[in-house]
């Protein structure tokens, strides 16, 4: 396979370089911890899972176990980030471990998954703003379609001003939302007082089905961390990538894990360990806890509205993160001649110009189809009956399932490839341990994504298979160049040296 001189390869970053804080903001911004904690705790508990199984009151324990598994995967990614600094991130890492054809195939699948997540979220944000304003104040101000355009336009403007501006926008949005929900969670725990029971939250027996139920909570819990690795996409744009990207990946996992533990426990304890009460508020338990005391909550109308606002802000941070990661991925694939070379065009601000335009265009296309094709995606329950969800929720849920499933597959393949890719590691036992744990948890996440999942969500599996086949064909038709050739001298200063955690 051919390889070209990196001096001739288009690259990102220019004179403006990112810091460790920027890289952390990208990862946490993509994960969207506030958005996840606002809606997905009932999934961990088992109230909204298709299998009907979950961790019950032991949901915080499931979060701890899922965090350990994701940390193992994060360690593998951080070790690769010490060796390879390129916009393709996981695509480059898989290529290093399993060869460029396998890397190219799964690289295309990886970024299709990220595009799906972002497309669904763009629709979700516009619809959420519209319906929330209408419910709270009696007027949505703008039609839903215009809110969608406002959201996509805002993201486009943020990306236009450069990656430093976008990561700092994510940082501000994430800090505001995470800090608000974290403080409220601590407040709930304090108000629960003598009814707190940490031992119950950490005991497998608290699940109605024992430890097997906790394991179901774990496999759903892993999906909460989806995108934690996306700071690696900024490898070419970070001032000290081989030092800061590994740190950013691991710091992001630890910070998000701590937040998830506190916020999950606050919800379980806030409902007094009563799954029935949480089930009555399964559509948004965080907002139920934020309601007034007269409605069984710990807040007020103002507090509930504040949390609704910060959840939307966190969703916006996630959308920015998706757009940043997807545009860098399309750029990297085009630079390696696996996609049309026009996508490797770099703007005067040293950002992937055409790739960003394509990403925003796909967001607009998804929005248009959602608004113009009634019933584009309509989710049903296990009995086949429609769930009656708002159309934008159904579209987001399906797109998120597609993106989450695709990314879980990538994590699994990356873990397998690490046996070869990190074979020369100074302490091979660390590699084998991390590979074992990460394969275990990513395999569980894949199982959780397909187990007893009803139509049309189960079509996610077939769609992913179709994308994989197309990616495989494209990889053989256009084999491209070796992605691991991208090593620029200014990204590997001698003062960094080899580092191990």
């Amino acid at each position: 396979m051919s390889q070209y001189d990196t001096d001739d390869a288009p690259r990102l970053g220019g004179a403006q370089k990112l810091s460790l804080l920027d890289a952390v903001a990208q990862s946490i911004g993509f994960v969207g911890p506030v958005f996840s904690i606002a809606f997905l705790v009932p999934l961990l508990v088992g109230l909204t899972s298709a299998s009907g199984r979950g961790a019950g009151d032991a949901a915080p324990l499931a979060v701890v176990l899922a965090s350990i598994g994701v940390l193992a995967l994060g360690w593998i990614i951080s070790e690769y980030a010490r060796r390879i600094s390129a916009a393709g991130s996981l695509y480059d890492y898989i290529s290093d471990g399993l060869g460029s054809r396998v890397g190219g195939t799964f690289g295309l699948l990886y970024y299709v998954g990220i595009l799906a997540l972002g497309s669904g979220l763009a629709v979700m944000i516009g619809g959420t703003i519209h319906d929330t304003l209408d419910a709270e104040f009696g007027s949505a101000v703008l039609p839903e379609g215009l809110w969608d355009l406002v959201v996509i336009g805002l993201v486009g403007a943020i990306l236009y001003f450069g990656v430093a501006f976008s990561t700092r926008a994510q940082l501000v949005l994430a800090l505001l939302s995470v800090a608000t929900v974290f403080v409220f969670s601590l407040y709930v725990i304090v108000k629960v007082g003598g009814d707190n029971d940490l031992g119950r939250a950490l005991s497998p027996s608290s699940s109605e089905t024992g430890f097997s139920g906790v394991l179901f909570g774990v496999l759903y819990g892993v999906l909460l961390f989806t995108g934690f690795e996306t700071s690696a996409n900024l490898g070419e744009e970070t001032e000290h990538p081989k030092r800061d990207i590994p740190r950013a990946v691991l710091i992001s996992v630890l910070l998000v894990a701590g937040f998830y533990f506190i916020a999950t426990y606050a919800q379980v304890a806030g409902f007094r360990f009563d799954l029935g009460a949480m089930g009555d508020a399964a559509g948004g338990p965080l907002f139920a806890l934020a309601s007034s005391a007269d409605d069984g909550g710990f807040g007020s109308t103002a507090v509930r509205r504040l949390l609704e606002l910060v959840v939307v802000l966190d969703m916006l941070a996630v959308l920015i993160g998706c757009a940043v990661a997807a545009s860098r991925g399309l750029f990297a694939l085009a630079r390696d001649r696996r996609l049309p070379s026009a996508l490797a065009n770099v703007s005067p601000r040293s950002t992937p110009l055409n790739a960003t335009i394509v990403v925003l265009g796909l967001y607009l296309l998804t929005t248009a189809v959602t608004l113009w094709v009634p019933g584009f995606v309509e989710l049903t329950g296990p009995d086949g009956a429609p769930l009656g969800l708002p159309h934008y929720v159904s579209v987001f849920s399906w797109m998120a399932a597609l993106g989450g499933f695709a990314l879980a597959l990538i994590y699994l393949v990356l873990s397998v490839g690490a046996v070869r890719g990190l074979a020369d590691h100074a302490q091979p036992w660390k590699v084998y341990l991390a590979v074992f744990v990460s394969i275990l948890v990513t395999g569980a996440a894949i199982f959780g994504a397909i187990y007893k999942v009803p139509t049309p969500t189960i079509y996610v599996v077939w769609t992913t298979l179709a994308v994989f086949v197309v990616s495989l064909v494209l990889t053989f038709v256009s084999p491209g160049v070796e992605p691991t050739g991208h090593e620029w001298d200014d990204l590997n200063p001698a003062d960094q040296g080899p580092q191990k955690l």
Side-chain angles (χ1 to χ4, degrees), residues 179-431:
T180 301
V181 175
F182 183 75
V183 170
F184 177 72
S185 296
L186 292 178
Y187 175 76
V188 169
I189 293 171
V190 170
K191 294 295 287 184
V192 169
D195 290 334
N196 277 297
D197 192 343
L198 187 60
R200 182 172 181 175
L202 295 175
S203 173
S205 62
S206 298
S207 168
E208 292 181 354
T209 52
F211 194 68
S212 65
V214 173
L215 291 180
F216 270 88
V218 170
L219 59 90
Y220 298 133
V222 172
L223 299 176
L224 298 180
F225 291 85
T226 298
F228 74 93
E229 80 290 344
T230 52
S231 57
N233 288 104
L234 304 179
E236 293 174 29
E237 300 164 89
T238 304
E239 187 170 7
H240 300 291
K242 296 196 174 183
R243 181 190 69 195
D244 290 344
I245 296 298
R247 291 178 178 177
V249 170
L250 296 176
I251 288 172
S252 299
V253 173
L254 292 172
L255 289 177
V256 171
F259 173 78
Y260 279 155
F261 178 79
I262 295 295
T264 300
Y265 175 78
Q267 289 195 33
V268 174
F271 286 99
R272 313 290 176 174
F273 300 94
D274 183 346
L275 295 186
M278 181 180 284
D280 292 337
L286 178 65
F287 304 133
L289 291 176
S291 61
S292 65
D294 292 339
D295 295 322
F298 296 85
S300 63
T301 298
V303 171
R304 190 191 70 246
R305 288 176 177 174
L306 174 61
L307 292 185
E308 289 172 344
L309 173 62
V310 298
V311 168
V312 170
L313 293 179
D314 194 57
M315 291 164 67
L316 184 58
V318 177
L319 183 58
I320 296 170
C322 287
V324 168
S327 60
R328 270 70 186 165
L330 295 180
F331 166 85
L333 290 166
R335 179 173 61 188
D336 293 337
R337 301 168 192 171
R338 299 186 186 280
L339 290 177
S341 59
L343 292 176
N345 178 266
V346 178
S347 75
R349 295 175 178 272
S350 299
T351 58
L353 177 61
N354 290 345
T356 299
I357 292 173
V358 168
V359 170
L360 296 176
L362 288 173
Y363 291 175
L364 288 171
L365 177 62
T366 304
T367 295
V369 172
T370 300
L371 294 174
W372 295 341
V373 182
F376 170 50
V377 175
E378 187 173 26
L379 298 186
T380 60
D383 58 356
L387 295 177
L389 298 171
H391 63 286
Y392 56 84
V393 175
S394 292
V395 171
F396 168 74
S397 297
W398 196 89
M399 291 286 198
L402 173 61
F405 183 65
L407 266 63
L409 284 175
I410 303 304
Y411 295 158
L412 178 63
V413 173
L414 173 72
S415 301
V416 172
V419 174
R420 179 169 175 254
L422 301 178
D424 60 344
H425 194 277
Q427 296 175 296
W429 68 270
K430 289 185 177 180
V431 177

Side-chain angles (χ1 to χ4, degrees), residues 420-487:
R420 179 169 175 254
L422 301 178
D424 60 344
H425 194 277
Q427 296 175 296
W429 68 270
K430 289 185 177 180
V431 177
Y432 297 136
L433 177 60
V435 166
F436 173 77
V437 174
S438 59
I439 287 177
L440 199 64
V441 297
T442 54
I446 292 170
F447 174 75
I450 62 177
Y451 182 68
K452 290 187 176 181
V453 173
T455 305
T457 306
I458 194 60
Y459 294 152
V460 161
V461 177
W462 301 111
T463 303
T464 303
L465 179 61
V467 173
F468 173 80
V469 171
V470 171
S471 299
L472 186 63
V473 171
L474 288 175
T475 300
F476 276 87
V477 170
S478 180
V481 298
E482 291 286 355
T484 50
H486 308 315
E487 289 295 330

